[in-house]
Amino acid sequence: MSDNVVHLHKTTEPPVESATVDTPPTVLTIVPDAPPAPPVPLWVRSGRAVKRAVTHERTRSAGRAAVRHGLYTFNGGRIVARRTWDGRTGSRYERMIRAAEAAGNLEAAEEWEERLQRFRAARHHRRMDLLHSPVDAAKGVAVGAGMSVGVLVALGIVMALNSGQAGDVITPLSATIDFIALLIRIVQVVWGPLISIGPFLALLALWAVGRKQHAAPQWALPANVRSGEGEPITPSIVVKALRDLGVPALARAIKEMGDAGASMLGPITIAGCGVEVDVTLPSGVSTNEVQSKRRKLAENLTRHEHEVFITIPQAARTVRLWIADSGALDEPIGPSPLVTDETLTANYKTGRAPWGQDLRGDAAELSVYQRHLLVTGLSNQGKTAALRALALWLALDRSVQFWIADLKGIGDWAMFDGIAQVLIEGPSDEHVIQATEMVEDAVEEMNRRIEERRQDPAVVFEPLIVLVDEAQLAFMCPVVGEDKRPYGGSKATSRYFMAVRKLHNQGRAVDVLMWQGTQDPTDQNLPKVVREGAHTRASLVLGTESQARMALGDKAVDGGAAPNLLRQGLDKGTLVVASDGITIPTGQSSITVRTHFIDDDPAAEIAERAKALRNGVATLHAIDRDEERDALADVAAVIGDTARLRTDEVLKRLHALDTAVYREWNNGRLKRLLEEHGEEPKKSHGVMVVRRDDVARALANRDTDGSASASQ
């Protein structure tokens, strides 16, 4: 019915009705014409016009210009008066004395006191000289005038003798009098206009002084000066930025200081792509009041928020400001030494991984020796790249073993095929289960090493790095095993959680280390016990301060670490690191590192160099608990392309291949296996070894015997 309603305006003729057989009746509604809008009152229109004129950009610009130039002149007069007063009195020295006393620097106060005394003594001598100067000046003028007249008369006599005219005697004297009269007439002509324009010239001079010092409010300055982009950091700029921070006690203390706050600042030193300065806050101002106003402080310093870092050094009531050069942090850092130096090697115990650069531009190198590692951050911010850069460096140490589970499964760790003993790649629940079992095998390996260490305290183990990327998938896995224990979760029944916890508790003692990379940390996908167990904790950009505390700990965040203030997408690869394995400036609890990015192709080249250092590693891509192992084939696999391998090395590789099966194997068990197939270990240079050709022959003989038995 609503579709057949027609609204018509009122007219003089009635509408003509028409209907068809199939068309439903149309309802005609007569709508009278709307009355004309009442005229807008004159005062309203005038008000709107005035508002438009007042708020127009040209009007605002003209107003700013008028205020700016007026204040240039007024404040220029204040500056000149202050300089004149300082030059004529000892007020400057008195201000410095008060500032030194307030800072507790008595030696500086005594030095300024001596300067003040010397200034007063010199001023006294000048005043005493002025008492005698009028008499001396009068005597000097009389003597000078007499000598001048005598010289002119003598010159006239010479001229008279030369010309023979007696009137030439006074010619030089009369010429001099005429010249003096001319000067007087010039002064009389110029004096009137000079008196008229003199004040304007004085005002112009004061305006020039104020303009040079930008002696006007920030909002009234020109746009190019108001932005201040890239302006060098000076003590006056830092003090002014602190004064305008909005902390009443701080602003009041700066105004009361005789040196206008200069004593608060330490030396401004160049630090990489920026400068660094320590600020000692006055009594009544706490460091967290400055920390909480980081954005306002950065803007007062004409910088962006991410270009100013505030940390807390050891000195009480002190904040350390690092201020980047404008735009410097947006410039990329150089390539990794792993890419540029093909001769670079690694040492797990004594070496340091070239991870990137700190904000000062110095190399940031990390020691991984007996340190569990946790790298976290939002998705697609460079977490895997930062973790992989450390693993690639460590792979250049041939003694280090890797068990890797990449739960993203898109090939980020594919280059470790042939380096890692175990490489699991995939995001499914099945891959999470395999990763959990891999970590549980690492716990068994840790226990075996601990038992062996008890029997022989001098035994040395090869480092084992157990690495799980995208570990949040493991913690949040919903699958429950046949034993009714969940694989994920953060309770004591969780298999992955308990395995990681055990490694954190005892693994470092026998060089079994847990490395994890995880996204967006929460209590659900990164339990507190696990994150607190990592010795090296690093975080990329995060969303909130609570996440930053989860990633780095309360101590680091309270000390100024703020990964939540990094820029998502723009600060890719920038890590905030809390660790004793990296050099951190004294008094700080964390350091910001811009990591080197190693792309897939260079990473593959580095991996090839690592493989060349190793004797061929057979990488296991899945852990199958149900399949019965072929021990002889496993021995052949772990030997790889190596001509001969020590028996203890063969046993270690077998154990890495499947801890559950080869946990109890020893030299005797390996010897029996080979003897069963007509071979046995032999000695090479006094060391028992297993030869590749012997194992291949044993496999061939076994296959031949099996085929013959089948044919019979």
Side-chain angles (χ1 to χ4, degrees), residues 338 342 344-346 390-400 402 415-420 602-617 653:
L338 291 173
E342 295 184 358
L344 189 67
T345 58
L390 294 177
L392 285 170
W393 173 80
L394 197 54
L396 297 175
D397 184 344
R398 59 181 299 175
S399 67
V400 179
F402 290 92
M415 68 287 300
F416 278 81
D417 190 357
I419 298 177
E605 295 176 3
I606 298 169
E608 290 300 323
R609 300 207 308 262
K611 293 174 187 177
L613 298 174
R614 299 168 184 261
N615 295 323
V617 176
R653 295 188 178 189

Side-chain angles (χ1 to χ4, degrees), residues 150-229:
V151 170
L152 292 174
V153 171
L155 180 61
I157 294 172
V158 172
M159 292 177 61
L161 292 175
N162 182 53
S163 63
Q165 298 292 331
D168 289 342
V169 174
I170 61 171
T171 297
L173 187 60
S174 62
T176 302
I177 294 172
D178 292 340
F179 178 72
I180 294 174
L182 176 63
L183 292 179
I184 292 174
R185 284 195 296 271
I186 292 173
V187 171
Q188 289 175 344
V189 173
V190 174
W191 184 255
L194 186 63
I195 291 296
S196 301
I197 66 174
F200 295 101
L201 295 177
L203 291 176
L204 182 61
L206 297 179
W207 174 86
V209 172
R211 178 176 178 273
K212 185 177 181 180
Q213 297 294 327
H214 301 305
Q218 188 74 12
W219 58 267
L221 294 175
N224 58 337
V225 178
R226 193 163 58 243
S227 65
E229 187 114 4

Side-chain angles (χ1 to χ4, degrees), residues 241-242 245-247 250 279 281 285-299 305 308-313 315 317-322 545 549 553-565 576 587-590:
L242 293 169
L245 201 56
V247 180
L250 180 59
V279 181
L281 301 176
V285 182
S286 61
T287 55
N288 63 348
E289 289 182 280
V290 177
Q291 271 189 307
S292 63
K293 294 181 177 291
R294 178 188 176 195
R295 172 175 292 182
K296 190 170 185 178
L297 178 61
E299 292 173 350
E305 183 179 10
V308 174
F309 286 81
I310 306 173
T311 54
I312 310 299
R317 259 191 12 254
T318 302
V319 293
R320 179 168 295 159
L321 306 181
W322 185 85
E545 181 180 329
R549 292 184 180 276
D554 292 336
K555 179 181 178 181
V557 174
D558 291 338
N564 53 300
L565 296 181
V576 182
Q588 296 180 200
S589 56
S590 65

Side-chain angles (χ1 to χ4, degrees), residues 339 388 392 412 415-416 598-608:
V339 177
R388 190 176 67 181
L392 285 170
D412 288 337
M415 68 287 300
F416 278 81
I598 304 177
D599 211 345
D600 290 343
D601 292 339
E605 295 176 3
I606 298 169
E608 290 300 323

